[in-house]
Amino acid sequence: MSSVTVIGTQWGDEGKGKVVDWLSERADIIVRFQGGHNAGHTLVIDGETYKLSLLPSGILRKNKLAVIASGVVIDPQALLKEIDELQERGVEISPDNLVIAENASLILPIHRYMDKRQEQVLRGGIGTTLRGIGPAYADRAARRALRVCDLADKSYLRTRLTSLLDHHAPLFSDSPDKPPSLQEMLTSLEESASRILPFAQPVWRLFEGRRHAQILFEGAQGVHLDLDHGTFPYVTSSRTVPAEAACSSGIATRRVGFVLGITKAYTTRVGLGPFPSEQDNEIGERLGKLGNEFGTVTNRKRRCGWFDAVLVRQSGIIAGIDGIALTKMDVLDSFAEIDICVGYLIDGERWTHLPPHPFLQARIEPIFETMPGWRASTRGARSWADLPAQAIKYVRRIEELIRQPVSLLSTSPEREDVIVVRDPFF
Ligand code: IMP
Ligand code: MG
């Protein structure tokens, strides 16, 4: 038995989709364990691009079991749409290769309306994906949520939905934008039920008879978007750290296995919140253009900046990372000079970690170290010998600063363009 848990070490969009897909060839079971369709993973397979939101990347490979565990919030309509679109492209999806946790909570249409309303009026907004993620997790914590298993009983569904809608009614009392009625929501849930229930199972039981299975836990977002460890309140509403893989799946925490931190060779963030190494200038524009930094889910332009070693060293410790997969180095190929953020100054004092206080974060001045660029292509490299010496120096400097070894180096969006230092499944 061995397992690998893939985690983003920054603010999401580190290139997890590609790495997870590469690893999924070696796995028997691939588990999505948190988040929802706020995530967007882009995969390129034989020149064809696939964008996945809710389904684990392993769904694209034959003879793998893809699992959506209980910590994921599921929008039934979004899930069915994603399934339909993949099936139209010839991907086989059936209860034989997809299991959905029967105890996972649902995102209801009202959650989308609440997300929008809260962004507009109540909190001043944090730049969410407007998918209803936060309100759905809030209802789960408040024990109001409807779950996948509830879809099996119409009258139970009606009772629970009625009280949930009653609870939230005041939020919409003076809103011109009203959520659908109880009856509309019930009809849509009942329609989804017959298609979703065949996939519903107790996920914890899957692992019982599969002692030798290789499991890949596929994280979404990143450590700095974690509900507690992230840049609160500019975070998502789920736990993005590896322990959640075990909590969500109902499996021993030691089976989280090797923790692979996916790390982009520079930094991006989508939505609001602190970003010390941000380059709100022509450098950021260039990174965004070369890196095609537009959200997979919302198509928003991502904010871009230099690599922040403080941030990644911190997430390495918090998430117990065993090695990183460094991605998108080729985006830096044309830069004459490359900066790395190595520390923060706050009121003249040097900090080696990102404090949680928003008012201190607002006063951070990044300390940069400048390295010469390599001005040559690293794209598609499959061995160290294919890399310019200066590019290798950049990788070594990152390893030194974050105190983590590089396990994988991903050199293009294509599945097989990877330099393997240490295969996380060993
Ligand atoms: P929510 O998850 O939609 O509530 O959004 C909360 C914050 O997390 C916003 O800043 C989003 O942009 C960010 N976020 C959520 N999912 C992702 C993701 O998959 N990649 C990057 N940022 C994300
Ligand atoms: Mg993404």
Side-chain angles (χ1 to χ4, degrees):
M1 166 196 94
S2 76
S3 36
V4 174
T5 298
V6 164
I7 295 290
T9 63
Q10 293 150 319
W11 283 295
D13 307 315
E14 298 92 352
K16 291 184 287 294
K18 140 90 189 260
V19 179
V20 166
D21 175 55
W22 185 85
L23 286 166
S24 68
E25 189 184 4
R26 292 153 183 78
D28 305 305
I29 307 177
I30 298 97
V31 185
R32 254 302 293 276
F33 61 88
Q34 44 73 229
H37 66 313
N38 50 348
H41 292 168
T42 308
L43 297 91
V44 182
I45 300 167
D46 298 331
E48 280 223 45
T49 302
Y50 295 87
K51 292 188 181 201
L52 300 177
S53 264
L54 202 45
L55 290 168
S57 304
I59 199 77
L60 300 175
R61 296 206 182 243
K62 289 204 190 312
N63 305 316
K64 308 286 177 191
L65 183 63
V67 177
I68 299 178
S70 68
V72 174
V73 280
I74 299 170
D75 179 326
Q77 282 176 347
L79 175 66
L80 293 173
K81 184 163 174 268
E82 197 171 327
I83 290 176
D84 287 343
E85 283 170 5
L86 286 178
Q87 282 179 333
E88 272 164 33
R89 294 177 70 179
V91 178
E92 277 171 40
I93 303 175
S94 76
D96 291 333
N97 70 342
L98 176 65
V99 167
I100 299 172
E102 56 186 8
N103 56 338
S105 293
L106 300 177
I107 301 180
L108 303 168
I110 190 172
H111 292 133
R112 250 190 342 263
Y113 282 78
M114 289 169 67
D115 206 349
K116 195 169 157 198
R117 185 109 179 103
Q118 287 169 349
E119 280 289 286
Q120 281 168 349
V121 295
L122 292 182
R123 281 184 306 191
I126 67 155
T128 74
T129 60
L130 299 176
R131 295 290 186 276
I133 305 289
Y137 275 117
D139 271 348
R140 172 180 178 244
R143 296 159 294 188
R144 271 187 300 268
L146 303 185
R147 300 185 301 166
V148 171
C149 55
D150 300 339
L151 293 170
D153 190 297
K154 276 188 190 180
S155 84
Y156 184 74
L157 201 61
R158 175 181 284 274
T159 312
R160 296 278 299 178
L161 188 58
T162 306
S163 51
L164 187 146
L165 297 186
D166 284 350
H167 177 86
H168 293 303
L171 183 63
F172 298 100
S173 58
D174 59 354
S175 166
D177 201 13
K178 303 268 189 233
S181 68
L182 169 71
Q183 195 48 52
E184 283 169 308
M185 275 189 233
L186 271 177
T187 308
S188 132
L189 283 172
E190 284 165 14
E191 276 167 16
S192 308
S194 60
R195 292 193 57 201
I196 286 185
L197 286 170
F199 296 102
Q201 280 191 48
V203 162
W204 59 273
R205 290 208 67 171
L206 292 176
F207 306 108
E208 206 186 0
R210 288 177 157 115
R211 296 212 137 264
H212 301 288
Q214 309 239 83
I215 310 170
L216 176 61
F217 293 102
E218 177 180 353
Q221 289 89 39
V223 171
H224 292 280
L225 285 172
D226 179 82
L227 184 57
D228 279 351
H229 292 295
T231 45
F232 191 90
Y234 301 97
V235 292
T236 192
S237 297
S238 66
R239 304 309 310 265
T240 60
V241 288
E244 181 63 10
C247 281
S248 165
S249 309
I251 196 170
T253 33
R254 65 179 176 280
R255 291 196 70 182
V256 158
F258 188 98
V259 179
L260 182 68
I262 316 300
T263 305
K264 190 148 60 181
Y266 51 100
T267 314
T268 62
R269 155 158 228 172
V270 52
L272 304 175
F275 183 171
S277 68
E278 181 169 23
Q279 297 297 299
D280 190 9
N281 52 32
E282 63 286 357
I283 294 170
E285 285 290 321
R286 193 160 148 212
L287 287 169
K289 208 166 162 195
L290 292 167
N292 192 25
E293 296 293 353
F294 292 91
T296 314
V297 173
T298 54
N299 208 29
R300 284 179 291 175
K301 196 170 162 185
R302 296 179 186 141
R303 299 154 63 192
C304 298
W306 295 118
F307 185 79
D308 186 341
V310 178
L311 208 65
V312 177
R313 189 169 116 69
Q314 188 162 331
S315 41
I317 296 167
I318 291 168
I321 279 164
D322 294 301
I324 66 162
L326 193 64
T327 64
K328 297 188 87 166
M329 262 224 336
D330 58 292
V331 171
L332 303 175
D333 282 352
S334 66
F335 285 83
E337 287 188 329
I338 298 167
D339 284 359
I340 302 179
C341 176
V342 296
Y344 303 146
L345 278 184
I346 304 176
D347 304 334
E349 199 184 317
R350 192 176 175 129
W351 286 63
T352 53
H353 76 276
L354 180 66
H357 323 54
F359 39 91
L360 293 182
Q361 290 168 349
R363 302 208 292 273
I364 291 176
E365 293 167 57
I367 304 169
F368 286 116
E369 175 182 294
T370 303
M371 289 184 81
W374 43 90
R375 302 188 110 173
S377 176
T378 58
R379 205 177 164 87
R382 294 188 184 187
S383 79
W384 290 103
D386 296 337
L387 293 179
Q390 195 54 48
I392 297 176
K393 279 192 190 157
Y394 183 70
V395 176
R396 295 293 175 234
R397 185 64 184 135
I398 285 180
E399 286 182 313
E400 205 169 75
L401 288 165
I402 65 171
R403 299 185 205 170
Q404 296 288 346
V406 166
S407 298
L408 299 176
L409 200 70
S410 157
T411 57
S412 95
E414 289 283 343
R415 189 183 258 180
E416 296 306 329
D417 288 340
V418 177
I419 298 175
V420 186
V421 182
R422 176 180 177 187
D423 190 335
F425 278 117
F426 45 85

